[in-house]
Amino acid sequence: MDCNRCDEEAVMHAAYSGAHLCADHFRESVEKRVRRRVRRDDLVPHYATPETPQTWVIGLSGGKDSVVLTRILHDTFAEDPRIELVGLTIHEGIEGYRDKSVEACVELCEDLEIRHELVSYEDEFGVRMDDVVEDDPENMAACAYCGVFRRDLLSKYAEELEADLLLTGHNLDDEAQTALMNVLEGDVEQMAKHFDASLGPLSEREEQDEFVPRAKPLRDVPEKEVALYAHVNDLPAHITECPHASEAYRGEIQQLLYDLEENHPGTRHSILSGYEELATIAAEKYAGDDGAELQDCAECGSTTTRDVCRKCSLLEALV
């Protein structure tokens, strides 16, 4: 099948749009969607200048999503002195898995000539995920521990690096899954929090001085297209699932969306589009509602709604 835009052979077919695209036009399509999301979410503020540049910290895991995001943002802003990119990699301590992806991160940052920072659970918390999974004092899925530790380090180092923005490589599938989970759970307040945390345009979010704002510029691109982009550009992405991945409920939602998308192309786009509108309405409803009072964790000093933050509680259980 030929590309819809030229006579070259197509490398992909998007059932949701009917498009057949060659490698060059496929690259262009992905990059256009990411750059459009950057504009729609107001990620480059009007007051950014070469003299007062914005620091964007990218959560760079070495997987396809974060690698593709880093490459596109670099290509977009390499000649723009208003934006400085920093790759932040977190080593969880998973033997045979994270070491290879760290190598991918180092290679990518060296190729793109951007700053790279590496931190680890072992250095920061004195634990490794392999040991956490073996002990499991809270009888939880590995992802429950890892998610808490990862979010803590992303937030901590985004602040230490004086980031103006923290970016993650969540793709369309990731965000559609989260959207559907929140809808099925009837969690309207969580939708509002999602809007203010990472979903809404920066100019429309409720200000949260305690945290570095987050953004997900890759969220309009399906997962398979992210993987294909990494392949056609020969990017050093480590495309292997974590051996401890075990989010049972999200896995069910993921399979449900696969089936729906197969039978009804465009389902993921429709879910996320409608969810964004619902999240906007929810954010307006809860605007000014501070909810639980924020305070400093008695153990580590991080911002939390508890006397002792969730990270410190889990670390204490692991001792």
Side-chain angles (χ1 to χ4, degrees):
M1 183 70 69
D2 290 339
C3 174
N4 295 142
R5 302 179 188 177
C6 69
D7 296 329
E8 295 295 320
E9 182 179 358
V11 299
M12 65 85 68
H13 170 237
Y16 58 85
S17 67
H20 292 83
L21 299 175
C22 66
D24 286 342
H25 283 112
F26 168 67
R27 290 189 191 95
E28 182 182 287
S29 171
V30 173
E31 292 162 3
K32 181 179 179 180
R33 279 174 277 173
V34 173
R35 291 164 182 163
R36 181 178 60 199
R37 178 52 61 189
V38 168
R39 292 193 302 272
R40 286 183 174 178
D41 286 354
D42 303 327
L43 300 189
V44 182
H46 64 85
Y47 51 80
T49 68
E51 292 73 30
T52 57
Q54 296 281 293
T55 298
W56 288 6
V57 171
I58 304 170
L60 181 58
S61 69
K64 63 185 187 308
D65 302 304
S66 62
V67 164
V68 167
L69 176 62
T70 302
R71 168 65 181 272
I72 294 176
L73 291 178
H74 169 267
D75 291 352
T76 302
F77 294 105
E79 303 300 323
D80 190 336
R82 299 174 301 165
I83 304 298
E84 295 181 356
L85 301 179
V86 180
L88 173 60
T89 301
I90 297 173
H91 196 310
E92 302 93 341
I94 303 172
E95 188 173 355
Y97 170 72
R98 184 52 73 202
D99 290 333
K100 292 182 180 179
S101 58
V102 167
E103 292 175 6
C105 296
V106 172
E107 180 181 345
L108 180 70
C109 290
E110 288 180 348
D111 288 345
L112 301 182
E113 296 183 343
I114 66 174
R115 180 180 174 185
H116 181 235
E117 297 289 335
L118 174 64
V119 298
S120 72
Y121 288 1
E122 187 167 23
D123 289 341
E124 295 290 326
F125 307 136
V127 301
R128 295 172 54 85
M129 273 309 300
D130 285 341
D131 299 327
V132 172
V133 171
E134 185 175 341
D135 294 341
D136 190 14
E138 299 290 300
N139 193 29
M140 302 191 306
C143 297
Y145 292 98
C146 198
V148 171
F149 297 154
R150 172 175 287 276
R151 283 191 295 273
D152 181 86
L153 288 185
L154 284 173
S155 296
K156 175 183 176 181
Y157 277 89
E159 291 182 8
E160 289 197 8
L161 293 166
E162 298 184 339
D164 297 285
L165 197 60
L166 173 61
L167 303 107
T168 58
H170 292 79
N171 58 51
L172 175 62
D173 295 60
D174 297 325
E175 290 299 278
Q177 290 164 23
T178 298
L180 190 54
M181 289 167 67
N182 285 340
V183 169
L184 292 178
E185 292 170 358
D187 198 338
V188 179
E189 187 172 1
Q190 184 58 37
M191 294 180 198
K193 291 178 180 178
H194 193 180
F195 180 91
D196 286 325
S198 63
L199 201 64
L202 286 181
S203 58
E204 298 178 18
R205 298 184 198 176
E206 188 166 349
E207 290 189 19
Q208 299 181 18
D209 296 334
E210 299 84 1
F211 305 102
V212 173
R214 298 192 178 204
K216 302 169 181 176
L218 206 61
R219 74 171 189 264
D220 297 312
V221 185
E223 182 176 24
K224 288 185 178 179
E225 293 182 31
V226 176
L228 180 58
Y229 186 94
H231 175 70
V232 299
N233 285 283
D234 195 26
L235 296 179
H238 182 231
I239 306 177
T240 304
E241 185 176 6
C242 173
H244 300 314
S246 57
E247 292 185 277
Y249 183 48
R250 182 174 285 272
E252 290 183 45
I253 297 298
Q254 180 184 53
Q255 188 57 54
L256 174 62
L257 281 177
Y258 282 157
D259 295 339
L260 286 170
E261 188 68 30
E262 180 71 23
N263 296 323
H264 310 281
T267 295
R268 292 165 302 184
H269 292 84
S270 298
I271 287 174
L272 189 56
S273 177
Y275 178 79
E276 287 176 346
E277 288 196 39
L278 288 174
T280 302
I281 296 170
E284 291 173 355
K285 172 181 171 59
Y286 286 95
D289 182 358
D290 296 331
E293 184 177 349
L294 295 175
Q295 57 187 319
D296 293 338
C297 171
E299 297 292 332
C300 70
S302 64
T303 303
T304 180
T305 58
R306 315 163 181 234
D307 292 334
V308 176
C309 71
R310 181 62 171 152
K311 172 207 68 184
C312 288
S313 296
L314 290 179
L315 291 175
E316 184 176 347
L318 289 165
V319 174

